Amino acid sequence: MESIYNKTLNELETYFLEKKDKKYRATQVFEWLYQKKVSSFTQMSNLKKEVIEELNQDFCIETMTVEKVEKDIDVSKYLFRLKDNEKIEAVLMNHHYGNSLCISTQVGCNMGCKFCESGRLKKVRNLETSELVEQILQIEHLCQTRISHVVVMGIGEPFDNYDHLVKFIEIINHPKGLALGSRHITVSTCGIIPKIKEFMTLPYQVNLAISLHAPNNEIRNSIMPINKVYNINELIKTLKEYVDKTNRRVTFEYILLKGINDREQDAIELANLVRDLTCYINLIPYNETNNLQFKRSDYESITKFYDILKKNKINATIRREFGSKISAACGQLRSKKED
Ligand code: SAH
């Protein structure tokens, strides 16, 4: 049975109109689900008995369960079991400005980035819209807290699950839904150009992050297979269009890998690559894993790299690290469990 969390407000309105009921019924249901956050139709006390009965026949609400929680000081990792027994993870980070949740979009991932643990497990399937929504709602419920920021940077490539992603954004951004401000939502992609083009035509002002990780095609080809399909020059060209169209800046993620992309010449090349783009570079110290050969750059190279970018007037920060103790760091989700 389908979860009601799959439905946008528009879709629910259509559902009720087809039932010869009133359109506003959809708003009532939405408020119960996303503002009062109930998890059964019987709690929706302003609905008639017959409506509740029909909803119960047509939809379920929750489809997954929290199987395991690992906590560190200001970060916790949640392992979910899905209805088909697949597993995914989400990571909650407590910042001074609120709680940020990093969610997964697929079971596994097909992008095959060489440095990433998640890519070792091929994609089994896309997550449904409801499974994206539920990661937020279940963790809010469990922690009795409000999640103020969502980053779509967990397992999977969000633009390889585009339609569900867009419905998810619609639901969590809608004032009658979770009402999360679009500037509090960030989607991260390895660079699927046709989807970036589609994304920039949406009415939402959601943040876009790009996993760049290299200053040129040669290095990027060697660590990110997607670059052989959508190369770095096309990517930068598309991002210029994105900035022109949306007036928003782009965030680049750049993992520093020892001896691969962390040399002075790489920093200079990177600065030249993004010079004309309104952007911001997030330098990420690599999280080493036992299964992959890549090494983290040493502190000196990281600061030198940062200084070169700054000298070239490029906005950059070195990312604060979360969760390396509990393997909650990027690219380390789920795979440990499957070993
Ligand atoms: N597929 C999307 C989102 C998931 S990956 C994307 O590529 O953006 C989220 C981020 O974590 C990416 O920037 C990815 O390159 C990075 N990442 C993967 N493994 C990592 C590791 N071991 N250490 C640090 N960052 C990592």
Side-chain angles (χ1 to χ4, degrees):
M1 197 189 285
E2 190 188 6
S3 165
I4 195 148
Y5 293 136
N6 270 339
K7 297 281 187 219
T8 62
L9 187 61
N10 275 341
E11 287 172 340
L12 265 189
E13 285 174 352
T14 310
Y15 166 84
F16 281 112
L17 288 175
E18 277 169 3
K19 295 257 169 194
K20 307 269 174 293
D21 200 340
K22 302 279 185 307
K23 201 167 142 186
Y24 71 79
R25 204 70 75 210
T27 307
Q28 291 178 318
V29 171
F30 239 57
E31 281 170 356
W32 282 112
L33 291 174
Y34 299 112
Q35 282 157 29
K36 304 192 187 84
K37 300 183 185 176
V38 302
S39 51
S40 81
F41 293 116
T42 35
Q43 288 169 284
M44 302 185 178
S45 53
N46 58 355
L47 301 186
K48 279 190 262 142
K49 238 201 190 137
E50 304 82 70
V51 178
I52 292 175
E53 258 167 39
E54 289 216 44
L55 283 169
N56 263 323
Q57 273 166 24
D58 294 337
F59 300 105
C60 63
I61 302 189
E62 291 183 341
T63 66
M64 54 204 231
T65 50
V66 175
E67 185 153 297
K68 200 171 154 208
V69 184
E70 278 178 67
K71 282 189 194 269
D72 207 337
I73 298 164
D74 43 15
V75 54
S76 328
K77 181 168 74 165
Y78 298 84
L79 180 77
F80 289 98
R81 179 184 287 274
L82 308 179
K83 58 189 173 193
D84 54 0
N85 286 323
E86 293 293 347
K87 285 169 198 152
I88 54 151
E89 291 181 350
V91 177
L92 183 66
M93 291 159 282
N94 312 114
H95 297 277
H96 63 276
Y97 55 76
N99 294 314
S100 167
L101 186 69
C102 175
I103 67 153
S104 294
T105 51
Q106 299 177 319
V107 180
C109 180
N110 275 349
M111 297 301 118
C113 300
K114 298 279 195 311
F115 48 81
C116 178
E117 280 276 308
S118 311
R120 288 175 54 232
L121 304 159
K122 287 281 154 267
K123 177 170 99 175
V124 178
R125 68 172 175 87
N126 283 330
L127 295 188
E128 291 176 27
T129 302
S130 58
E131 291 167 324
L132 302 175
V133 173
E134 267 186 81
Q135 292 176 63
I136 304 177
L137 287 174
Q138 291 219 10
I139 292 174
E140 281 192 333
H141 184 73
L142 200 69
C143 302
Q144 291 296 304
T145 187
R146 180 171 184 265
I147 287 165
S148 57
H149 292 69
V150 170
V151 292
V152 188
M153 283 191 194
I155 301 161
E157 167 49 48
F159 283 175
D160 186 34
N161 186 10
Y162 187 79
D163 294 344
H164 292 151
L165 173 80
V166 172
K167 274 177 58 165
F168 164 72
I169 293 172
E170 157 113 38
I171 292 169
I172 65 170
N173 180 236
H174 200 288
K176 299 266 190 292
L178 277 179
L180 269 166
S182 51
R183 286 182 171 73
H184 289 196
I185 304 169
T186 303
V187 175
S188 175
T189 176
C190 62
I192 301 184
I193 289 177
K195 295 300 171 194
I196 297 176
K197 290 193 170 165
E198 250 182 278
F199 195 68
M200 65 175 119
T201 65
L202 295 182
Y204 322 107
Q205 297 279 297
V206 174
N207 302 311
L208 180 66
I210 305 287
S211 294
L212 191 64
H213 309 325
N216 59 39
N217 280 317
E218 197 192 339
I219 300 178
R220 203 162 191 261
N221 280 342
S222 74
I223 53 177
M224 297 179 71
I226 193 71
N227 196 67
K228 294 179 185 154
V229 187
Y230 305 114
N231 71 51
I232 208 164
N233 315 87
E234 286 299 315
L235 182 58
I236 298 295
K237 201 173 125 207
T238 308
L239 294 173
K240 282 192 180 135
E241 287 168 34
Y242 172 89
V243 171
D244 284 346
K245 189 158 174 105
T246 61
N247 269 320
R248 302 193 52 76
R249 77 175 177 187
V250 171
T251 302
F252 287 112
E253 294 152 275
Y254 194 104
I255 304 175
L256 288 155
L257 301 163
K258 191 178 185 130
I260 293 187
N261 63 3
D262 67 342
R263 299 162 302 177
E264 289 183 43
Q265 69 206 68
D266 298 326
I268 295 164
E269 205 175 354
L270 178 61
N272 288 331
L273 183 74
V274 303
R275 193 175 300 286
D276 300 329
L277 199 64
T278 314
C279 71
Y280 167 90
I281 300 182
N282 221 328
L283 296 173
I284 308 172
Y286 181 60
N287 258 294
E288 291 178 13
T289 75
N290 292 333
N291 301 302
L292 303 170
Q293 299 314 310
F294 294 94
K295 293 276 169 268
R296 156 192 297 240
S297 302
D298 43 59
Y299 183 72
E300 247 180 31
S301 314
I302 297 179
T303 39
K304 197 172 242 170
F305 202 98
Y306 171 81
D307 287 342
I308 293 173
L309 292 180
K310 281 293 190 191
K311 241 181 240 146
N312 281 276
K313 302 202 165 41
I314 306 291
N315 293 316
T317 49
I318 300 174
R319 184 186 279 177
R320 174 180 162 210
E321 284 181 86
F322 270 104
S324 41
K325 275 200 208 106
I326 59 171
S327 300
C330 320
Q332 296 181 321
L333 303 180
R334 181 169 168 271
S335 57
K336 214 172 120 201
K337 193 77 190 162
E338 309 284 307
D339 281 343

